[in-house]
Amino acid sequence: MNTPSPPQDIRVLVVEDDPVAADAHVLYVGRVPGFTAVGKAHTGAEARRALDRMPVDLLLLDLHLPDVHGLQLARSLRAAGHHADVIAVTSARDLTVVREGVSLGVVQYVLKPFTFATLRDRLVRYAEFHAAAGEASGQDEVDRALATLRAPGPAALPKGLSSPTLEKVTHALRDSEEGLTATGVAEAVGISRITARRYLEHLVDAGRAGRSPQYGQVGRPELQYRWVKG
């Protein structure tokens, strides 16, 4: 009796121009059962070369690449015969871009900054959609298959953090070219230094901020946080 082969992992190519964020996304993908990160690319050109040399099922695609917009890349890949699905990773909130992406194989959008839990949810839902096969018995089954891609609601933040405050902290950090300490963020947003530190560490864990000691002051150096562009 032949033993059925185990299901093959979904092969993911991470396309992200920022090296720190790319490494974080590769680690995130590797932590989700059933998925394997088969490589990473920092430009559209690197992504095309990777797709030409190895099979890929899913692109985790940053839309703002240094040499091409992510949707332009997706369009050119379709024209070249590549049929990998796309989960778009972006800080852009333009719904026109969202609508355009639907026709190019973008099955999900993940807004930066995001946590591992957010990406895991999207990947698990994509896996369910990807595994659907055979002929649907009717409209209800078709609707259920498509519904697996839709998240029930915003992913929960860690306890004690709120989306409005996270948005304010994110804007403050993005608007600072030199970076900010927790004290600087606290003053800019109107929260305590301890609370600011929690939000900043959340952004670091999400791969959207980096941190380094700020020297040159008396006493223990304070951490300086900088936004990771992407």
Side-chain angles (χ1 to χ4, degrees):
M1 181 177 178
N2 293 329
T3 302
S5 301
Q8 187 180 47
D9 281 359
I10 294 172
R11 298 159 295 197
V12 182
L13 176 66
V14 172
V15 186
E16 164 65 56
D17 68 321
D18 183 85
V20 175
D23 289 343
H25 297 169
V26 167
L27 288 174
Y28 282 178
V29 170
R31 290 169 61 186
V32 182
F35 288 84
T36 297
V38 294
K40 58 186 175 182
H42 301 303
T43 66
E46 288 182 10
R48 291 187 189 95
R49 289 195 293 269
L51 285 163
D52 285 339
R53 69 173 182 266
M54 63 184 175
V56 172
D57 302 306
L58 178 66
L59 296 178
L60 192 59
L61 176 63
D62 178 26
L63 293 188
H64 294 284
L65 299 172
D67 58 340
V68 66
H69 190 277
L71 292 186
Q72 292 177 336
L73 174 62
R75 185 178 294 105
S76 67
L77 293 176
R78 288 289 179 268
H82 295 294
H83 300 293
D85 291 321
V86 176
I87 292 181
V89 178
T90 179
S91 57
R93 288 163 169 76
D94 186 347
L95 292 179
T96 302
V97 174
V98 174
R99 289 196 299 271
E100 184 180 356
V102 171
S103 65
L104 298 173
V106 177
V107 296
Q108 287 275 14
Y109 279 83
V110 182
L111 291 179
K112 298 177 180 179
F114 62 86
T115 63
F116 166 67
T118 298
L119 181 61
R120 178 184 58 198
D121 175 78
R122 300 305 190 274
L123 291 177
V124 168
R125 288 175 176 276
Y126 171 77
E128 294 176 7
F129 175 77
H130 184 77
E135 185 173 347
S137 60
Q139 184 68 50
D140 288 346
E141 191 168 344
V142 172
D143 291 343
R144 281 195 299 271
L146 293 174
T148 59
L149 291 172
R150 303 188 193 115
L157 289 171
K159 187 177 180 180
L161 303 190
S162 72
S163 295
T165 303
L166 178 61
E167 191 76 12
K168 292 177 182 178
V169 171
T170 297
H171 281 304
L173 198 59
R174 291 181 67 178
D175 292 342
S176 174
E177 294 183 3
E178 301 299 323
L180 292 170
T181 63
T183 300
V185 169
E187 293 173 351
V189 177
I191 55 180
S192 72
R193 179 182 174 278
I194 293 175
T195 300
R197 178 80 179 270
R198 289 194 63 203
Y199 281 95
L200 290 167
E201 289 297 322
H202 169 72
L203 291 173
V204 170
D205 291 341
R208 301 316 309 144
R211 61 173 178 259
S212 60
Q214 183 186 44
Y215 295 102
Q217 297 181 345
V218 177
R220 185 177 179 181
E222 190 171 0
L223 290 174
Q224 183 91 352
Y225 295 84
R226 287 181 173 82
W227 181 253
V228 174
K229 295 181 180 180

